[in-house]
Amino acid sequence: MTLTRGRTMAAIAAAAAAMLTITACGGTSTPSETTPAADGGAEGSTTPATLMLNWYPYGEHAPLYYGVQEGIFADHGIDLTIEPGQGSTRTAQAVGGQQVDFGWSDTAAVLSNIDQGVDIKSIGVFLQTTPSAVQVFADSGIEEPADLAGRTIAVSAGDAPTTTFPLFLADVGLNPDEVGQQNLDSAGKMAALLAGRVDGLIGFAHDQGPNLADKSGREMRYFRYSDAGLNFFSNGLIAHNSTIADNPELAQAMLDATSESYAAAIENPEAAVAAMVGVDPQTPPEHVLLQQWQETIPLLSTPATTGQAPGTNAEEDWTSTIATLSDAGLLQSAKDPGEYWASSFAPNAGQ
């Protein structure tokens, strides 16, 4: 679908008539040429760029669509096309294979793929407090984490919430063998909980939780890993190392535009969500999208980055994330943050 710019700015009047296309269907697109640098929309010029999401569009992604609709990406010289994803690992590999310019991917998957030789790096994590949680129905009789003993929880082997689940259990005083686990994919976990075949599931509370509440008509209860003192980075922007080295202007512009879009969506949540309604057949209803986005907002910082522009990362949070994921067995070893993160990039809050 084609979206016209929703705002005018005197400094970029020549660019205000530019049209932006959001592709909300599957498939692989040819990445843009990275020789021309994104220049903030000077003389109305824009550089085409593709961004692959971690999954089908849900509320967390509303700022990206809002940024396209409102001309924020165009202001930064980017003609952005957004594509759905099918998991963070596939997105990381698509960026590594230069099938797309940028990816929106879970940090655990990014780090694991880098360890396996995929030629990518993070240029800024946005979800800095993990959304990982055990999710149960509020009327299930499971009132606190200790009540998980003797229950069966749906998990997805290999993903970050499942791999770090033993660490969460240890933090709440439970042994892994006290809690039954049933391995299912994302859709299977939700179906099993809705059908009563499991007592809860592990996943991203800001995504699955509102969907489950809507489908069941029942209130959800979350046992968040972060509330137990276990935190690590989640979703953010990634790029191929050649983009970072050969066209840092484009990478910086992408980070700035994304940061500005997230800040704008915090200020205008309903408008941001409205910008993504109908972009994909699997996108949840608008009221679910709004709840998902509202649940995302508290995840956008840590104590080290509170009050800073969205996407601003602190090295201490990177170090902590790497150590946690290494302890969980997701990484071969705990390497320096510079192996995974292009720290020279930081959002320009003045843009």
Side-chain angles (χ1 to χ4, degrees), residues 43-103:
E43 299 180 358
S45 64
T46 56
T47 298
T50 47
L51 170 69
M52 179 178 284
L53 303 177
N54 57 305
W55 197 244
Y56 299 103
Y58 59 92
E60 173 190 324
H61 308 129
L64 300 168
Y65 292 92
Y66 189 53
V68 172
Q69 175 183 284
E70 295 300 296
I72 295 172
F73 286 94
D75 295 350
H76 290 273
I78 297 174
D79 177 8
L80 185 65
T81 296
I82 304 173
E83 299 182 359
Q86 293 184 326
S88 288
T89 290
R90 290 191 182 184
T91 297
Q93 292 171 354
V95 176
Q98 296 184 285
Q99 298 170 327
V100 292
D101 298 297
F102 298 99

Side-chain angles (χ1 to χ4, degrees), residues 93-291:
Q93 292 171 354
V95 176
Q98 296 184 285
Q99 298 170 327
V100 292
D101 298 297
F102 298 99
W104 188 261
S105 190
D106 185 51
T107 299
V110 174
L111 271 54
S112 178
N113 275 273
I114 291 172
D115 270 1
Q116 296 171 42
V118 179
D119 200 15
I120 56 175
K121 276 187 180 176
S122 170
I123 57 173
V125 175
F126 280 72
L127 271 69
Q128 299 174 21
T129 296
T130 180
S132 299
V134 181
Q135 305 173 49
V136 301
F137 289 121
D139 58 8
S140 65
I142 303 174
E143 304 286 339
E144 58 185 25
D147 296 331
L148 295 172
R151 304 284 188 148
T152 299
I153 304 299
V155 303
S156 294
D159 69 7
T162 300
T163 307
T164 54
F165 187 44
L167 302 180
F168 166 78
L169 291 176
D171 286 343
V172 299
L174 290 171
N175 294 319
D177 58 6
E178 293 183 88
V179 182
Q181 299 184 32
Q182 184 173 343
N183 184 36
L184 298 165
D185 64 16
S186 181
K189 288 190 299 187
M190 293 183 62
L193 182 56
L194 289 168
R197 296 193 298 271
V198 296
D199 300 299
L201 62 79
I202 295 172
F204 286 174
H206 74 309
D207 172 17
Q208 294 158 323
N211 262 320
L212 285 163
D214 182 63
K215 291 177 182 296
S216 67
R218 300 163 68 183
E219 184 181 348
M220 299 299 298
R221 175 172 291 126
Y222 307 116
F223 302 126
R224 302 177 190 273
Y225 289 17
S226 59
D227 288 342
L230 176 63
N231 191 40
F232 45 92
F233 278 165
S234 187
N235 294 335
L237 279 174
I238 60 174
H240 194 276
N241 280 323
S242 65
T243 301
I244 292 170
D246 299 338
N247 198 352
E249 296 88 353
L250 177 62
Q252 182 65 57
M254 184 68 182
L255 179 58
D256 288 342
T258 303
S259 179
E260 185 177 336
S261 296
Y262 269 74
I266 292 170
E267 294 297 321
N268 304 283
E270 291 85 1
V273 165
M276 70 176 302
V277 171
V279 298
D280 188 276
Q282 300 198 56
T283 301
E286 187 169 358
H287 67 279
V288 175
L289 291 171
L290 180 58
Q291 186 179 354

